Amino acid sequence: MTLHAELVLRRAEFALSVSLDVPDGGVLAVLGPNGAGKSTVLACLAGLVRAQRAYVTLGERVLDDDAVHVPAHRRGVGLLEQRALLFPHLSVLDNVAFSPRARGVPKAEARDVARRWLAEVDASDLADRTPAALSGGQAQRVAIARALAGEPDLLLLDEPLAALDVDAAPAVRGVLRRVLRDGGRKLTTVLVTHDPLDALTLSDHVAVLADGHIVERGPTREVLASPRTAFAARLAGVNLVAGVAERTGAGAAVRTESGLLFHGMPARDLADGDAAVAVFDPGAVAVHPRDAAVVGSPRNVVDAVVTALEPHGPVVRVRTREGLSADLTPASVADLALEPGTPVRLAVKAAAVSVHAAPRTPNEGRRRQ
């Protein structure tokens, strides 16, 4: 079912004001730093928290408006959190059967539904166990089955893989992808996550939340390929330089507050004077000793100081005080004698930089068309 939500909530120094639309069967990933309001959005959608102003519809039903607040147990909403929160006194089978039983389904039929969903998440062999006998990954599979056995019209996922170890998370992610995207039963879903892999593999669209407001939204791969906010850039593992756009003939540049001019290739929606960001991959950054001549003719040259060296797959990610990163081979790091505190000169070709319009304030994002 199609979800539309407009939520306004104020608590002490925190203010939430968001508008969300998820088409029938769509999966929206909500990303953002801690304290941005992600879990509050889910709590409002679930009916666990009532916003000061809200208009929420699910299909043809109004769940919230000025006169209506449908309680959580009547919303047809399933909620899956970081912890499985299974009932310790019930078997796995009866934990999953609890959801249809709560809707009035007879016990025998509810257990049949539970067996079907346990098979769907590859957990049939766990039916007779108690929650205490399950690993973290097994418990989360059971929790997924329990959430879906209630046949919700909307599924809310609050960091469902965050509490799992590195071995269990990929398997459970695969289960979620299969039941949400590949099973032919596509279920309208809102997913809160910090992991870009969750967003890429599970969602169609993303909304980036900051300080209670959506600052960026669009198709998942587009946002993570060309982020327009610092948080989305960190998620995507790319560099982002923010400032004001200046057109330069066929190209464009971003002028930062410090006066640095960063040249790149402009997006179609960019106009002179727009708030803008320059985005480029750490692999496109060349690192030179501070006193050495820069080879070639890169248009972007920045003096920087190394702050950290981090293993990043087959390369080493060099982070700098200026907020820029470069990916180098271990041999290059050794040749340059890099360590925290080393002054360096970074060079990036303009052809490797994309320049995009960016949100002007934390309260207003630019919707991608």
Side-chain angles (χ1 to χ4, degrees):
M1 293 187 179
T2 300
L3 170 70
H4 173 72
E6 299 172 20
L7 304 169
V8 176
L9 180 145
R10 291 180 176 82
R11 287 178 175 170
E13 297 180 358
F14 176 74
L16 176 77
S17 180
V18 300
S19 176
L20 300 174
D21 288 285
V22 187
D24 185 18
V27 180
L28 173 71
V30 180
L31 312 175
N34 291 333
K38 305 183 300 298
S39 292
T40 301
V41 169
L42 290 196
C44 290
L45 296 178
L48 302 174
V49 170
R50 187 168 189 177
Q52 277 89 12
R53 284 177 35 217
Y55 180 65
V56 179
T57 60
L58 187 56
E60 300 298 320
R61 293 191 299 138
V62 176
L63 303 184
D64 275 298
D65 66 9
D66 291 341
V68 174
H69 177 71
V70 177
H73 67 280
R74 293 180 50 207
R75 291 198 166 210
V77 173
L79 176 61
L80 181 66
E81 300 181 272
Q82 290 185 25
R83 294 186 299 151
L85 300 177
L86 301 177
F87 300 118
H89 61 291
L90 297 179
S91 69
V92 162
L93 182 65
D94 287 332
N95 260 281
V96 179
F98 179 85
S99 290
R101 287 286 285 157
R103 293 188 293 112
V105 175
K107 184 175 182 179
E109 184 180 343
R111 284 189 161 192
D112 287 341
V113 172
R115 290 188 185 94
R116 187 171 73 247
W117 277 108
L118 284 172
E120 189 73 25
V121 300
D122 300 325
S124 294
D125 59 327
L126 307 177
D128 296 329
R129 296 191 192 182
T130 62
L134 303 178
S135 68
Q138 290 170 333
Q140 199 67 327
R141 286 173 185 260
V142 174
I144 293 169
R146 184 175 64 179
L148 296 173
E151 298 182 357
D153 297 320
L154 172 67
L155 182 63
L156 306 177
L157 305 176
D158 192 358
E159 298 276 8
L161 307 178
L164 302 182
D165 61 37
V166 294
D167 295 321
V172 176
R173 185 182 294 112
V175 168
L176 279 171
R177 176 167 178 80
R178 187 171 72 248
V179 298
L180 294 180
R181 314 305 302 145
D182 301 334
R185 293 176 308 273
K186 292 186 178 180
L187 176 62
T188 305
T189 303
V190 179
L191 162 70
V192 162
T193 182
H194 279 92
D195 192 332
L197 186 57
D198 293 348
L200 283 167
T201 57
L202 299 175
S203 71
D204 310 301
H205 286 70
V206 300
V208 180
L209 202 62
D211 297 324
H213 297 80
I214 293 175
V215 296
E216 186 169 11
R217 72 177 89 195
T220 303
R221 293 187 181 278
E222 181 183 331
V223 170
L224 293 182
S226 303
R228 303 184 186 189
T229 62
F231 181 83
R234 286 196 299 274
L235 276 180
V238 297
N239 287 303
L240 182 144
V241 175
V244 177
E246 293 186 11
R247 298 301 296 239
T248 57
V254 172
R255 185 174 294 278
T256 68
E257 287 187 359
S258 65
L260 175 68
L261 202 60
F262 221 92
H263 298 267
M265 309 306 293
R268 288 180 299 174
D269 59 352
L270 189 70
D272 217 33
D274 276 352
V277 291
V279 179
F280 51 98
D281 191 271
V285 182
V287 181
H288 304 272
R290 177 72 66 84
D291 57 357
V294 175
V295 179
S297 55
R299 299 206 65 189
N300 304 303
V301 178
V302 180
D303 286 342
V305 177
V306 174
T307 57
L309 303 172
E310 302 170 358
H312 198 76
V315 299
V316 176
R317 180 152 295 176
V318 179
R319 298 194 182 276
T320 68
R321 183 185 301 161
E322 291 67 27
L324 302 180
S325 300
D327 285 346
L328 301 180
T329 65
S332 294
V333 171
D335 289 344
L336 292 166
L338 298 182
E339 61 183 26
T342 302
V344 293
R345 185 158 289 160
L346 308 179
V348 190
K349 294 182 178 180
V353 178
S354 298
V355 179
H356 303 276
R360 287 189 174 276
T361 71
N363 296 345
E364 182 180 359
R366 179 187 295 264
R367 182 184 292 272
R368 296 165 187 256
Q369 301 296 327

mmCIF file of all heavy atoms in Angstrom, residues 12 33 44 70 75 82 87 93 123 133 140-141 165 204 236 267 290 295 303 305 345 355:
data_model
loop_
_atom_site.group_PDB
_atom_site.id
_atom_site.type_symbol
_atom_site.label_atom_id
_atom_site.label_comp_id
_atom_site.label_asym_id
_atom_site.label_seq_id
_atom_site.Cartn_x
_atom_site.Cartn_y
_atom_site.Cartn_z
ATOM 1 N N ALA A 12 11.674 19.562 23.680
ATOM 2 C CA ALA A 12 12.789 20.353 24.220
ATOM 3 C C ALA A 12 13.514 21.071 23.076
ATOM 4 O O ALA A 12 12.912 21.891 22.387
ATOM 5 C CB ALA A 12 13.739 19.463 25.019
ATOM 6 N N PRO A 33 22.748 10.813 10.691
ATOM 7 C CA PRO A 33 23.585 10.620 11.880
ATOM 8 C C PRO A 33 22.736 10.357 13.114
ATOM 9 O O PRO A 33 21.512 10.555 13.110
ATOM 10 C CB PRO A 33 24.345 11.953 11.985
ATOM 11 C CG PRO A 33 23.454 12.945 11.301
ATOM 12 C CD PRO A 33 22.778 12.204 10.196
ATOM 13 N N CYS A 44 6.567 7.274 15.130
ATOM 14 C CA CYS A 44 5.334 7.975 14.731
ATOM 15 C C CYS A 44 4.545 7.137 13.724
ATOM 16 O O CYS A 44 3.313 7.039 13.818
ATOM 17 C CB CYS A 44 5.668 9.339 14.144
ATOM 18 S SG CYS A 44 6.276 10.559 15.328
ATOM 19 N N VAL A 70 -4.930 6.272 14.980
ATOM 20 C CA VAL A 70 -5.163 4.834 15.071
ATOM 21 C C VAL A 70 -4.100 4.224 15.976
ATOM 22 O O VAL A 70 -2.907 4.455 15.765
ATOM 23 C CB VAL A 70 -5.125 4.184 13.674
ATOM 24 C CG1 VAL A 70 -5.285 2.667 13.782
ATOM 25 C CG2 VAL A 70 -6.214 4.781 12.779
ATOM 26 N N ARG A 75 -2.979 -0.696 13.276
ATOM 27 C CA ARG A 75 -2.450 -0.003 12.100
ATOM 28 C C ARG A 75 -2.110 -0.947 10.950
ATOM 29 O O ARG A 75 -1.967 -0.503 9.819
ATOM 30 C CB ARG A 75 -1.206 0.803 12.475
ATOM 31 C CG ARG A 75 -1.525 1.985 13.358
ATOM 32 C CD ARG A 75 -0.431 3.014 13.394
ATOM 33 N NE ARG A 75 -0.958 4.234 13.986
ATOM 34 C CZ ARG A 75 -0.557 5.450 13.716
ATOM 35 N NH1 ARG A 75 0.424 5.634 12.832
ATOM 36 N NH2 ARG A 75 -1.106 6.488 14.283
ATOM 37 N N GLN A 82 16.538 -3.635 16.186
ATOM 38 C CA GLN A 82 17.890 -4.204 16.226
ATOM 39 C C GLN A 82 17.905 -5.539 16.956
ATOM 40 O O GLN A 82 18.513 -6.501 16.510
ATOM 41 C CB GLN A 82 18.850 -3.245 16.941
ATOM 42 C CG GLN A 82 19.168 -1.983 16.174
ATOM 43 C CD GLN A 82 20.217 -1.150 16.888
ATOM 44 O OE1 GLN A 82 21.022 -1.663 17.661
ATOM 45 N NE2 GLN A 82 20.222 0.148 16.638
ATOM 46 N N PHE A 87 9.635 -13.592 22.605
ATOM 47 C CA PHE A 87 9.076 -13.954 23.902
ATOM 48 C C PHE A 87 9.853 -15.161 24.445
ATOM 49 O O PHE A 87 9.830 -16.239 23.841
ATOM 50 C CB PHE A 87 7.600 -14.294 23.773
ATOM 51 C CG PHE A 87 6.764 -13.174 23.240
ATOM 52 C CD1 PHE A 87 6.068 -13.312 22.045
ATOM 53 C CD2 PHE A 87 6.663 -11.974 23.928
ATOM 54 C CE1 PHE A 87 5.298 -12.278 21.554
ATOM 55 C CE2 PHE A 87 5.889 -10.932 23.445
ATOM 56 C CZ PHE A 87 5.209 -11.080 22.246
ATOM 57 N N LEU A 93 8.259 -21.492 17.052
ATOM 58 C CA LEU A 93 7.019 -21.613 16.290
ATOM 59 C C LEU A 93 5.922 -20.738 16.878
ATOM 60 O O LEU A 93 5.236 -20.005 16.145
ATOM 61 C CB LEU A 93 6.560 -23.069 16.264
ATOM 62 C CG LEU A 93 5.291 -23.349 15.452
ATOM 63 C CD1 LEU A 93 5.537 -23.074 13.966
ATOM 64 C CD2 LEU A 93 4.806 -24.778 15.678
ATOM 65 N N ALA A 123 14.415 -21.061 8.425
ATOM 66 C CA ALA A 123 14.519 -21.328 9.859
ATOM 67 C C ALA A 123 13.552 -22.421 10.307
ATOM 68 O O ALA A 123 13.221 -22.497 11.496
ATOM 69 C CB ALA A 123 14.263 -20.044 10.642
ATOM 70 N N ALA A 133 18.083 -20.586 22.975
ATOM 71 C CA ALA A 133 18.952 -21.528 22.268
ATOM 72 C C ALA A 133 19.349 -21.032 20.887
ATOM 73 O O ALA A 133 19.968 -21.773 20.122
ATOM 74 C CB ALA A 133 18.239 -22.878 22.149
ATOM 75 N N GLN A 140 17.200 -13.180 14.737
ATOM 76 C CA GLN A 140 16.712 -12.124 13.861
ATOM 77 C C GLN A 140 15.912 -12.701 12.694
ATOM 78 O O GLN A 140 14.944 -12.086 12.242
ATOM 79 C CB GLN A 140 17.870 -11.257 13.367
ATOM 80 C CG GLN A 140 17.453 -9.891 12.840
ATOM 81 C CD GLN A 140 16.904 -8.960 13.920
ATOM 82 O OE1 GLN A 140 16.276 -9.378 14.884
ATOM 83 N NE2 GLN A 140 17.121 -7.669 13.744
ATOM 84 N N ARG A 141 16.290 -13.883 12.212
ATOM 85 C CA ARG A 141 15.480 -14.546 11.182
ATOM 86 C C ARG A 141 14.074 -14.829 11.716
ATOM 87 O O ARG A 141 13.074 -14.617 11.020
ATOM 88 C CB ARG A 141 16.132 -15.861 10.761
ATOM 89 C CG ARG A 141 17.355 -15.734 9.885
ATOM 90 C CD ARG A 141 17.993 -17.098 9.695
ATOM 91 N NE ARG A 141 19.248 -17.006 8.958
ATOM 92 C CZ ARG A 141 19.366 -17.266 7.655
ATOM 93 N NH1 ARG A 141 18.313 -17.643 6.969
ATOM 94 N NH2 ARG A 141 20.528 -17.155 7.045
ATOM 95 N N ASP A 165 26.728 -9.998 14.120
ATOM 96 C CA ASP A 165 28.162 -10.014 13.831
ATOM 97 C C ASP A 165 28.382 -10.078 12.320
ATOM 98 O O ASP A 165 27.436 -10.228 11.540
ATOM 99 C CB ASP A 165 28.861 -11.174 14.549
ATOM 100 C CG ASP A 165 28.332 -12.546 14.139
ATOM 101 O OD1 ASP A 165 28.001 -12.727 12.949
ATOM 102 O OD2 ASP A 165 28.257 -13.437 15.001
ATOM 103 N N ASP A 204 14.780 1.158 -2.769
ATOM 104 C CA ASP A 204 14.650 1.827 -4.066
ATOM 105 C C ASP A 204 15.098 3.286 -3.976
ATOM 106 O O ASP A 204 15.742 3.814 -4.878
ATOM 107 C CB ASP A 204 13.185 1.829 -4.537
ATOM 108 C CG ASP A 204 12.545 0.470 -4.461
ATOM 109 O OD1 ASP A 204 13.049 -0.461 -5.109
ATOM 110 O OD2 ASP A 204 11.542 0.346 -3.740
ATOM 111 N N ALA A 236 28.850 6.954 1.352
ATOM 112 C CA ALA A 236 29.252 6.463 0.043
ATOM 113 C C ALA A 236 30.767 6.297 -0.068
ATOM 114 O O ALA A 236 31.257 5.702 -1.030
ATOM 115 C CB ALA A 236 28.759 7.409 -1.047
ATOM 116 N N ALA A 267 26.778 19.438 -13.066
ATOM 117 C CA ALA A 267 25.501 18.777 -13.303
ATOM 118 C C ALA A 267 24.588 19.720 -14.074
ATOM 119 O O ALA A 267 24.805 20.939 -14.117
ATOM 120 C CB ALA A 267 24.863 18.396 -11.969
ATOM 121 N N ARG A 290 54.923 17.696 0.195
ATOM 122 C CA ARG A 290 54.540 19.108 0.170
ATOM 123 C C ARG A 290 55.494 19.939 -0.675
ATOM 124 O O ARG A 290 55.077 20.881 -1.361
ATOM 125 C CB ARG A 290 54.507 19.641 1.605
ATOM 126 C CG ARG A 290 54.190 21.124 1.734
ATOM 127 C CD ARG A 290 52.731 21.460 1.419
ATOM 128 N NE ARG A 290 51.817 20.885 2.380
ATOM 129 C CZ ARG A 290 51.486 21.413 3.551
ATOM 130 N NH1 ARG A 290 52.032 22.570 3.919
ATOM 131 N NH2 ARG A 290 50.620 20.820 4.336
ATOM 132 N N VAL A 295 53.095 16.525 -10.632
ATOM 133 C CA VAL A 295 53.233 16.007 -11.990
ATOM 134 C C VAL A 295 51.954 16.250 -12.774
ATOM 135 O O VAL A 295 50.846 16.126 -12.247
ATOM 136 C CB VAL A 295 53.554 14.498 -11.952
ATOM 137 C CG1 VAL A 295 53.669 13.936 -13.364
ATOM 138 C CG2 VAL A 295 54.840 14.256 -11.169
ATOM 139 N N ASP A 303 47.027 21.903 -0.292
ATOM 140 C CA ASP A 303 47.978 21.539 0.762
ATOM 141 C C ASP A 303 47.193 20.966 1.941
ATOM 142 O O ASP A 303 46.138 21.501 2.324
ATOM 143 C CB ASP A 303 48.775 22.765 1.213
ATOM 144 C CG ASP A 303 49.812 23.176 0.175
ATOM 145 O OD1 ASP A 303 50.149 22.340 -0.694
ATOM 146 O OD2 ASP A 303 50.268 24.330 0.216
ATOM 147 N N VAL A 305 47.408 18.041 5.644
ATOM 148 C CA VAL A 305 48.208 17.353 6.660
ATOM 149 C C VAL A 305 47.542 16.018 6.965
ATOM 150 O O VAL A 305 46.337 15.963 7.240
ATOM 151 C CB VAL A 305 48.318 18.191 7.951
ATOM 152 C CG1 VAL A 305 49.082 17.420 9.026
ATOM 153 C CG2 VAL A 305 49.004 19.527 7.667
ATOM 154 N N ARG A 345 50.735 17.357 -0.431
ATOM 155 C CA ARG A 345 50.016 18.143 -1.437
ATOM 156 C C ARG A 345 49.115 17.173 -2.208
ATOM 157 O O ARG A 345 49.587 16.176 -2.739
ATOM 158 C CB ARG A 345 51.004 18.849 -2.364
ATOM 159 C CG ARG A 345 50.366 19.775 -3.375
ATOM 160 C CD ARG A 345 51.379 20.802 -3.847
ATOM 161 N NE ARG A 345 51.680 21.780 -2.800
ATOM 162 C CZ ARG A 345 52.763 22.539 -2.773
ATOM 163 N NH1 ARG A 345 53.680 22.419 -3.705
ATOM 164 N NH2 ARG A 345 52.943 23.409 -1.796
ATOM 165 N N VAL A 355 30.344 18.326 -9.968
ATOM 166 C CA VAL A 355 29.839 19.462 -9.200
ATOM 167 C C VAL A 355 28.319 19.457 -9.270
ATOM 168 O O VAL A 355 27.735 19.439 -10.350
ATOM 169 C CB VAL A 355 30.390 20.797 -9.731
ATOM 170 C CG1 VAL A 355 29.827 21.966 -8.926
ATOM 171 C CG2 VAL A 355 31.920 20.795 -9.678
#
